[in-house]
């Protein structure tokens, strides 16, 4: 601004000089007689002196303004930090797009809202806080619940890194948490994973001696570990004096399931409690920020429709369907033209338009973007657009144009969580009239309530991940309401309640129509067998422990019964063990940290304090892996050791072959990347992907394609690979079946289990297609066996999730709290003819390779149970090969 003024002064002086020169050159003879010229000389002199004064004054003002500007720099720096955190959110989900233009509007409104103050420092502090909170509210209303904490944590960490309140090496440790060594825990209340994590952090200066202190005063640490809310407890000994971030590092080792709560606490302590209140934004409040150029964009979740919210706001403000000022268009084939005409009319007359499900008309979205832009200026001031769309399931399928997303106020609508909210929501689909519509009132009302509980259970179970359902399904209110219509028709047409027909229709057709996995189908059927039986009508059926099916009540009475009688939220309400909550929270926390790590600016994270660049870090990892990687198996040499080609020996050969292919790719890709980093090869996109994976200490995709399913991080994965090689080394030495086989060590465990059937079929001359496997869980550990059995095989390394194996009684039992995946003893597996198998008091237990379940299914083992198998089905009990 001042420089511009100075330039103007210079131009004016130059102009005066030029004018004088022209006059002087034009003057003839004695130019002192030219009065006009003399006057011009005089005025030029005066003007030049004035300009000289103004220039000095301007320079002084510039210094003062620059000083004042410096005071406000922290607020500007905060705004810039927030904008870059916001724009990074598109890495999580491409539907999270924010433009600088939209952010500027939020920024200027925040400046207007900030509290005034005479004191500059206080004013700047008020501005910074108001900008931060406004940007937080504006952004988080358009994020799904699971991503809100990621955004909030990233804001907090970036602000604290900038103000040097936290050390980014410690933040890097918290986010990466590279635990590979598996130490046996000397303390009964800490798992192998927790103790390994404690050993890992105890090797660092800030945490030295932590392992000794935990062993030395186990009682005090046990109190912390067993606490309901360990994140709020005081730490024992001098560890209570550690910084909040250091305490989070320790807590991640001891109680990884509580980390989402610990981060909330951390943010509350550093930024203030209003950031973690988690109130849902009011649509009326969001509406105040809209304009003809700023639509509201609803990001949809299954089973939620924002139309009611928009309609009720319209009713208050006089935009209703009856008055003709509100237009609701549900997009699909042929509706595009209607939408275009309606938008034109609405822009002219000042109406509201809601365009629902725009993701269904991919080709029209470019036209929509142009129309929104066209009517954003020059339209009636009351004209408003509301848009709704489902987000794409993968970034590649994302189709909503950037322009639409960037200029909109985004709002997420999510279904309720928790049994209480879900059960009320299920019942809200009906009313008193529904309850009275059937002649057989008692039966209809009882089964309707049971259906609502069933619906709330199957929908609520989804949050528990693979232990809830193998795959995710879009169960919705339509499934429930159509089941109630079917129920009404069947009760009206039959004198007896056709339980079996109803269960079949509900479980195989209405809800089963979504289900694509056989084990999930069994779960759905089991729920219905438990909830739909004559005991329901006698008032003797418990829908969950401590929650009896209600007596005959009216509509308001049912809602009141839920509020009074339903126990507090707990996995037990869904038939699961309380441990399912711990597992679900641990996975959520791990995913949160992984996402935040990937959002960190890559160069600063490594470069600043560690003295090591990102490339050097990757180079070290390459060297380390290449050093550990064993030689490939010489298949020719191994095959020459015996002429026998029994099923077991063939499995051994196949495993060696697959291991060679994997190790070859690991060695090839690492050496190639190494040459790329040295500058001897051009870096390709594959090399770049490998470099990024190694940097984040995750397993590169080019390796996982050739490997076995695994959920491990890079360090743990490499150790696991070496253990598998060691197992193969032992077997290939003399090609004799090991005394106890580590089933998880195979690429293809099915082939080994099939080999057991094949070798016994040959020996006993049984037809292979009429055989099955039978398992006998022994009471012994791996080291108690010196040689393999005469027929079949001993296997070890299995874990149980959802329950535990009781060695004394030899049956499945209730899991112990916090023991998420107790190991199984050695299992003796052999084959028998199908008609000889004993299915009485047995639970058909699926065996999976990893906790992801679903596609990693291996086999079904029949395990003895004294309880009803239904209990273990609802608890999601399974055997796993790796945890």
């Amino acid at each position: 601004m001042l420089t511009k003024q100075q330039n103007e002064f210079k131009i004016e002086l130059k102009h005066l000089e030029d004018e004088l020169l022209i006059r002087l050159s034009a003057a003839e003879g004695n130019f002192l007689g030219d009065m006009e010229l003399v006057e011009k000389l005089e005025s030029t002199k005066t003007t030049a002196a004035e300009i000289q004064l103004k220039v000095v004054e301007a320079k002084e003002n510039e210094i003062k303004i620059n000083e004042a500007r410096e005071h406000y720099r922290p607020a500007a720096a905060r705004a810039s930090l927030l904008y870059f955190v916001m724009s990074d959110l598109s890495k999580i989900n491409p539907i999270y797009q924010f433009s600088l233009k939209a952010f500027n509007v939020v920024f200027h409104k925040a400046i207007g809202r900030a509290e005034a103050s005479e004191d500059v420092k206080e004013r700047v502090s008020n501005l910074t806080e108001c900008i931060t909170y406004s940007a937080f509210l504006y952004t988080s209303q358009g994020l799904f619940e699971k991503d809100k904490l990621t955004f909030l944590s990233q804001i907090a960490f970036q602000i604290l890194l900038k103000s040097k309140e936290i050390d980014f090496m410690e933040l890097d440790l918290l986010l990466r948490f590279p635990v590979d060594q598996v130490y046996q825990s000397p303390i009964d209340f800490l798992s192998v994973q927790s103790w390994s994590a404690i050993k890992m952090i105890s090797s660092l200066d800030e945490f030295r001696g932590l392992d000794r202190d935990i062993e030395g005063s186990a009682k005090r640490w046990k109190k912390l570990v067993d606490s309901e809310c360990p994140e709020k407890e005081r730490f024992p000994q001098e560890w209570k004096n550690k910084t909040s971030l250091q305490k989070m590092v320790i807590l991640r080792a001891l109680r990884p399931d509580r980390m989402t709560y610990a981060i909330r606490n951390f943010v509350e302590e550093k930024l203030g409690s209003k950031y973690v209140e988690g109130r849902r934004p009011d649509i009326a409040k969001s509406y105040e920020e809209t304009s003809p150029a700023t639509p509201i964009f609803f990001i949809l979740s299954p089973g939620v429709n924002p139309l009611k919210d928009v309609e009720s706001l319209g009713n208050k403000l006089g935009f209703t369907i009856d008055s003709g000022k509100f237009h609701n268009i549900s997009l699909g084939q042929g509706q595009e033209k209607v939408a275009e005409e309606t938008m034109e009319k609405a822009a002219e007359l000042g109406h509201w338009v809601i365009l629902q499900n725009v993701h269904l008309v991919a080709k029209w979205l470019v036209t929509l973007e142009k129309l929104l832009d066209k009517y954003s200026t020059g339209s009636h001031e009351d004209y408003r657009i509301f848009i709704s769309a489902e987000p794409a399931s993968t970034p590649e399928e994302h189709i909503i144009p950037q322009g639409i997303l960037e200029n909109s106020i985004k709002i997420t609508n999510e279904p309720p969580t928790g049994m209480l909210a879900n059960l009320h929501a299920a019942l809200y689909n009906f009313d008193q009239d529904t309850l009275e519509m059937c002649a057989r009132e008692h039966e209809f009302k009882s089964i309707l309530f049971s259906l609502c509980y069933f619906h709330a259970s199957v929908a609520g179970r989804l949050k528990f991940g693979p232990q809830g359902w193998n795959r995710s399904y879009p169960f919705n209110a339509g499934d429930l309401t159509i089941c109630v219509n079917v129920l009404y028709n069947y009760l009206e047409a039959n004198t007896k309640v056709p339980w079996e027909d109803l269960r079949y229709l509900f479980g195989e057709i209405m809800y089963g129509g979504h289900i694509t996995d056989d084990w999930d189908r069994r779960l759905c059927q089991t729920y219905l067998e438990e909830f739909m039986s004559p005991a329901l009508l006698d008032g003797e059926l418990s829908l969950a422990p401590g929650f009896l099916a209600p007596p005959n009540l009216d509509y308001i009475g049912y809602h009141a019964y839920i509020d009074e009688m339903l126990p507090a939220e707990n996995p037990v309400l869904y038939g699961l063990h309380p441990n399912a909550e711990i597992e679900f929270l641990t996975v959520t926390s791990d995913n949160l940290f992984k996402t935040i790590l990937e959002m960190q600016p890559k160069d600063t994270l490594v470069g600043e304090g560690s003295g090591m660049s990102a490339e050097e870090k990757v180079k070290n990892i390459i060297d380390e892996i290449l050093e550990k990687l064993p030689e490939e198996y010489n298949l020719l040499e191994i095959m020459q050791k015996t002429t026998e080609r029994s099923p077991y020996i063939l499995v051994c050969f196949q495993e060696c072959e697959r291991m060679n292919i994997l190790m070859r790719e690991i060695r090839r890709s690492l050496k190639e990347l190494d040459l790329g980093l040295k500058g001897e090869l051009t870096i390709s996109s594959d090399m770049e992907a490998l470099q990024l994976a190694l940097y984040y200490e995750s397993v590169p995709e080019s390796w996982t394609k050739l490997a076995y399913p695994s959920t491990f991080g890079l360090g743990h994965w490499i150790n696991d690979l070496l253990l598998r090689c060691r197992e193969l080394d032992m077997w290939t030495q003399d090609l004799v079946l090991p005394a106890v086989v580590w089933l998880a060590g195979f690429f293809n465990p099915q082939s080994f289990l099939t080999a057991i059937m094949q070798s016994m079929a040959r020996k006993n001359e049984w037809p292979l297609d009429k055989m099955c496997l039978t398992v006998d869980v022994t009471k012994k550990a791996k080291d108690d066996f010196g040689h393999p059995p005469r027929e079949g095989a001993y296997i070890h390394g299995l874990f149980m999730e959802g329950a535990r194996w009781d060695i004394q009684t030899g049956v499945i039992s209730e899991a112990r709290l916090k023991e998420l995946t107790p190991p199984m003893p050695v299992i003796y597996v052999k084959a028998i003819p199908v008609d000889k198998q004993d299915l009485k008091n047995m639970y058909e237990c699926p065996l999976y390779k990893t906790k992801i379940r679903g596609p990693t299914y291996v086999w079904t083992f029949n395990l003895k149970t004294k309880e009803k198998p239904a209990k273990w089905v609802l608890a999601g009990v399974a055997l796993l090969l790796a945890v």
Side-chain angles (χ1 to χ4, degrees):
M1 178 73 191
L2 290 174
T3 319
K4 187 182 168 193
Q5 237 176 335
Q6 286 168 356
N7 283 339
E8 280 171 6
F9 293 154
K10 280 179 186 170
I11 290 165
E12 201 174 329
L13 275 173
K14 176 91 173 70
H15 184 66
L16 289 170
E17 277 175 19
D18 289 350
E19 212 176 324
L20 274 177
L21 284 169
I22 290 167
R23 281 186 178 275
L24 282 168
S25 62
E28 289 165 15
N30 179 8
F31 56 73
L32 287 173
D34 187 342
M35 286 303 290
E36 209 178 319
L37 181 60
V38 172
E39 275 170 20
K40 195 74 192 164
L41 275 168
E42 199 58 44
S43 71
T44 301
K45 192 178 161 189
T46 318
T47 310
E50 275 171 24
I51 286 176
Q52 212 61 44
L53 271 172
K54 281 179 183 172
V55 167
V56 172
E57 210 175 285
K59 277 184 177 165
E60 283 168 7
N61 282 346
E62 187 171 12
I63 292 165
K64 282 178 191 166
I65 288 172
N66 279 346
E67 272 176 21
R69 259 166 62 183
E70 283 309 312
H71 291 304
Y72 289 90
R73 198 171 288 283
R78 174 66 60 86
S80 144
L81 181 148
L82 291 166
Y83 174 67
F84 285 112
V85 171
M86 278 167 63
S87 58
D88 268 354
L89 289 169
S90 59
K91 292 178 187 172
I92 301 176
N93 191 325
I95 208 158
Y96 300 154
Q97 304 262 2
F98 299 92
S99 68
L100 187 56
K101 189 172 112 190
F103 179 74
N104 263 332
V105 174
V106 176
F107 175 68
H108 285 115
K109 281 189 177 169
I111 291 174
R113 276 193 215 114
E115 208 177 312
S117 172
E118 290 299 311
D119 179 33
V120 174
K121 268 192 173 168
E122 199 178 310
R123 169 68 176 156
V124 172
S125 167
N126 293 347
L127 275 172
T128 310
E129 176 48 41
C130 194
I131 290 163
T132 308
Y133 191 57
S134 300
F136 162 71
L137 285 181
Y138 170 77
T139 311
S140 56
Q141 68 182 355
L143 304 180
F144 287 119
E145 208 55 52
K146 66 184 177 59
D147 298 323
K148 282 180 186 168
L149 189 55
T150 308
F151 172 59
L152 186 52
S153 314
Q154 178 67 338
I155 287 180
F157 289 144
Q158 290 306 319
I159 288 172
L160 296 169
L161 280 172
K162 200 165 180 64
S163 62
K164 304 221 169 359
E165 271 184 68
I166 58 174
D167 174 59
F168 87 73
M169 291 304 290
E170 285 175 5
L171 174 61
D172 193 39
L173 171 68
L174 174 72
L175 299 180
R176 282 180 195 276
F177 225 64
V179 182
D180 1 308
Q181 254 41 57
V182 178
Y183 293 89
Q184 283 310 314
S185 174
I187 299 162
D188 60 354
F189 61 85
L190 287 183
S191 67
V192 169
Q193 282 95 330
S194 286
W195 185 248
S196 298
I198 289 292
K199 292 298 274 184
M200 181 269 291
I201 60 178
S202 299
S203 65
L204 305 166
D205 287 343
E206 284 295 338
F207 304 95
R208 214 170 288 294
L210 176 63
D211 49 351
R212 286 199 307 278
D213 280 357
I214 292 177
E215 277 193 83
S217 39
K219 212 169 178 182
R220 291 173 70 185
W221 284 94
K222 183 177 179 0
K223 183 174 175 283
L224 174 77
V225 172
D226 288 348
S227 165
E228 285 263 308
C229 304
E231 67 281 359
K232 292 191 173 164
E233 297 282 339
R234 268 167 75 88
F235 276 51
Q237 297 142 308
E238 74 274 9
W239 300 99
K240 63 176 162 286
N241 305 324
K242 289 286 175 195
T243 67
S244 305
L245 187 65
Q246 288 163 348
K247 284 180 190 164
M248 279 212 291
V249 170
I250 298 172
L251 199 63
R252 185 164 185 196
L254 299 173
R255 285 291 301 276
D257 59 302
R258 298 298 298 175
M259 291 318 293
T260 48
Y261 299 95
I263 280 207
R264 272 183 204 285
N265 270 7
F266 178 79
V267 171
E268 188 172 1
E269 178 197 325
K270 301 292 184 188
L271 297 186
S273 55
K274 61 183 177 183
Y275 287 90
V276 293
E277 281 164 359
R279 288 198 309 265
R280 280 224 45 83
D282 178 21
I283 187 166
K285 202 112 194 88
S286 303
Y287 175 73
E288 288 169 19
E289 309 283 315
T290 62
S291 71
T294 316
I296 283 186
F297 190 107
F298 293 102
I299 303 173
L300 299 174
S301 297
V304 176
N305 188 352
L307 179 65
K308 281 180 189 165
D309 294 341
V310 180
E311 277 184 337
S312 63
L313 178 67
N315 287 339
K316 281 181 201 158
L317 300 175
F319 292 87
T320 60
I321 290 175
D322 296 343
S323 69
K325 287 186 173 184
F326 182 82
H327 309 275
N328 169 22
I329 298 164
S330 196
L331 281 154
Q333 214 169 3
Q335 288 300 299
E336 298 92 334
K337 197 90 194 104
V338 179
E340 287 171 27
E341 287 165 5
T342 310
M343 282 173 75
E344 188 179 356
K345 178 179 159 190
E348 188 189 326
L349 304 172
H351 295 178
W352 284 11
V353 182
I354 180 164
L355 303 172
Q356 295 198 71
N357 301 315
V358 298
H359 60 281
L360 299 177
V361 283
K363 286 180 183 161
W364 183 69
L365 291 176
V366 179
T367 311
L368 173 62
E369 187 178 7
K370 285 177 186 162
L371 290 175
L372 288 173
D373 188 44
K374 179 182 170 185
Y375 301 130
S376 66
T377 49
S379 296
H380 192 291
E381 60 179 20
D382 289 343
Y383 159 72
R384 290 293 183 279
I385 285 279
F386 302 85
I387 303 168
S388 78
E390 282 178 18
S393 49
T394 64
E396 294 73 41
E397 294 170 77
H398 174 76
I399 53 165
I400 312 289
Q402 193 172 344
I404 297 179
L405 291 170
E406 284 190 343
N407 296 320
S408 309
I409 292 171
K410 287 171 281 301
I411 297 179
T412 49
N413 275 57
E414 287 182 273
T417 57
M419 181 57 84
L420 182 74
N422 269 313
L423 192 48
H424 278 304
L427 205 50
Y428 285 140
N429 290 296
F430 312 104
D431 52 24
Q432 186 60 36
D433 293 347
T434 318
L435 296 183
E436 290 169 4
M437 73 183 192
C438 184
R440 299 173 58 191
E441 190 191 317
H442 174 54
E443 289 98 326
F444 179 70
K445 282 161 84 172
S446 298
I447 300 172
L448 182 140
F449 189 90
S450 187
L451 263 174
C452 287
Y453 194 87
F454 164 73
H455 178 79
S457 296
V458 297
R461 247 188 114 95
L462 287 164
K463 74 173 180 183
F464 295 103
Q467 209 178 334
W469 292 98
N470 268 346
R471 297 165 198 274
S472 194
Y473 303 111
F475 299 121
N476 57 58
D479 301 325
L480 175 62
T481 49
I482 202 160
C483 283
V484 169
N485 289 337
V486 167
L487 170 67
Y488 168 76
N489 292 333
Y490 266 69
L491 288 182
E492 292 283 318
N494 291 284
T495 47
K496 274 185 167 179
V497 178
W499 295 108
E500 210 168 307
D501 294 1
L502 291 175
R503 283 196 297 260
Y504 181 82
L505 288 164
F506 301 157
E508 291 290 338
I509 296 167
M510 306 312 170
Y511 283 82
H514 296 290
I515 297 174
T516 54
D517 180 280
D518 290 344
W519 296 101
D520 287 341
R521 196 168 288 281
R522 176 179 78 161
L523 171 64
C524 183
Q525 283 298 348
T526 306
Y527 262 132
L528 289 164
E529 280 159 20
E530 293 297 295
F531 295 161
M532 307 269 153
S533 70
L536 179 65
L537 305 179
D538 307 333
E540 293 165 12
L541 184 76
S542 283
L543 295 169
F547 188 62
L548 270 172
N552 193 338
L553 300 166
D554 63 1
Y555 185 69
I556 295 165
Y558 281 124
H559 279 296
Y561 182 84
I562 295 167
D563 286 330
E564 283 165 37
M565 304 304 291
L566 188 73
E569 182 65 17
N570 189 311
V572 173
L573 295 176
Y574 307 88
L576 290 154
H577 189 273
N579 282 348
E581 182 97 63
I582 299 175
E583 171 62 20
F584 149 68
L585 288 172
T586 306
V587 169
T588 307
S589 301
D590 288 348
N591 289 340
L592 170 73
F593 286 126
K594 185 172 178 285
T595 310
I596 298 172
L597 176 66
E598 286 170 4
M599 286 177 76
Q600 298 309 306
K602 202 162 80 195
D603 299 329
T604 54
L605 199 63
V606 178
E608 274 176 23
S610 61
M612 188 196 289
S613 72
E615 284 191 3
E616 283 170 326
K617 182 181 163 65
V618 170
K619 179 85 180 75
N620 285 353
I621 294 172
I622 293 173
D623 294 344
E624 209 177 302
I625 296 174
L626 286 174
E627 201 179 305
K628 286 181 182 175
L629 206 63
E631 285 306 308
E632 286 179 25
Y633 291 96
N634 186 332
L635 279 168
L636 274 175
E637 206 175 279
I638 295 167
M639 284 168 143
Q640 281 163 6
K641 288 184 182 179
T642 176
T643 54
E644 194 190 347
R645 292 290 180 264
S646 72
Y648 295 132
I649 286 173
L650 288 173
V651 168
C652 179
F653 291 163
Q654 284 165 1
E655 289 293 318
C656 289
E657 202 174 335
R658 290 190 68 171
M659 186 59 84
N660 279 352
I661 293 169
L662 175 59
M663 290 200 295
R664 209 171 293 146
E665 171 57 23
I666 294 174
R667 194 172 270 114
R668 183 204 65 77
S669 60
L670 289 178
K671 285 185 171 171
E672 183 183 65
L673 178 59
D674 196 28
L675 290 171
L677 294 176
K678 283 176 183 164
E680 292 172 29
L681 270 181
T682 309
I683 300 260
S684 66
S685 57
D686 288 350
M687 286 152 80
E688 220 165 70
L690 175 65
Q691 184 181 354
L692 206 60
L694 297 179
Y695 173 76
Y696 287 127
E697 288 165 27
S698 57
V699 187
E701 200 185 324
S702 62
W703 303 358
T704 54
K705 272 184 195 161
L706 301 173
Y708 30 81
S710 175
T711 55
F712 299 151
L714 184 62
H716 197 162
W717 190 86
I718 292 291
N719 281 350
D720 182 53
L721 177 82
L722 299 176
L723 285 174
R724 289 164 184 264
C725 288
R726 200 174 307 156
E727 196 77 6
L728 275 178
D729 292 344
M730 276 165 42
W731 200 357
T732 51
Q733 254 164 11
D734 49 11
L735 293 173
V736 173
L737 191 67
V740 184
V741 176
W742 181 36
L743 191 64
F746 292 110
F747 279 79
N748 186 358
Q750 287 98 322
S751 67
F752 179 75
L753 294 172
T754 308
I756 295 176
M757 292 213 294
Q758 286 170 333
S759 58
M760 287 187 71
R762 283 183 195 177
K763 191 174 171 188
N764 299 300
E765 294 183 347
W766 292 331
L768 193 59
D769 60 343
K770 300 271 193 314
M771 290 177 67
C772 65
L773 288 182
T774 174
V775 296
D776 184 15
V777 184
T778 70
K779 294 188 174 185
K780 297 175 181 175
K782 174 183 177 246
D783 298 336
D784 300 335
F785 294 90
H787 53 82
R790 262 181 333 107
E791 46 183 20
Y794 294 127
I795 59 170
H796 79 100
L798 280 73
F799 302 87
M800 186 174 274
E801 189 174 38
R804 69 185 172 90
W805 183 262
D806 188 325
I807 295 182
Q808 261 45 59
T809 54
V811 292
I812 304 176
S813 298
E814 190 82 14
R816 292 191 184 100
L817 200 61
K818 295 206 178 92
E819 257 190 35
L820 304 189
T821 47
M824 293 288 286
V826 168
I827 299 175
Y828 175 38
V829 186
K830 62 175 187 180
I832 55 165
V834 171
D835 51 13
K836 294 235 173 97
Q837 67 174 337
D838 178 16
L839 290 176
K840 220 167 81 197
N841 301 329
M842 288 288 187
Y843 167 60
E844 290 183 28
C845 184
L847 168 66
Y848 298 99
K849 291 177 187 174
T850 72
K851 280 182 180 176
I852 291 168
R853 300 195 179 194
T856 72
Y857 169 75
V858 178
W859 210 274
T860 305
F861 285 178
N862 289 336
L863 299 176
K864 289 194 180 109
T865 173
K866 281 182 185 164
E867 307 251 13
K868 274 174 34 183
K871 177 184 169 75
W872 310 124
V873 173
L874 298 186
V877 175
L879 289 170
L880 307 173
L881 290 179
V883 292

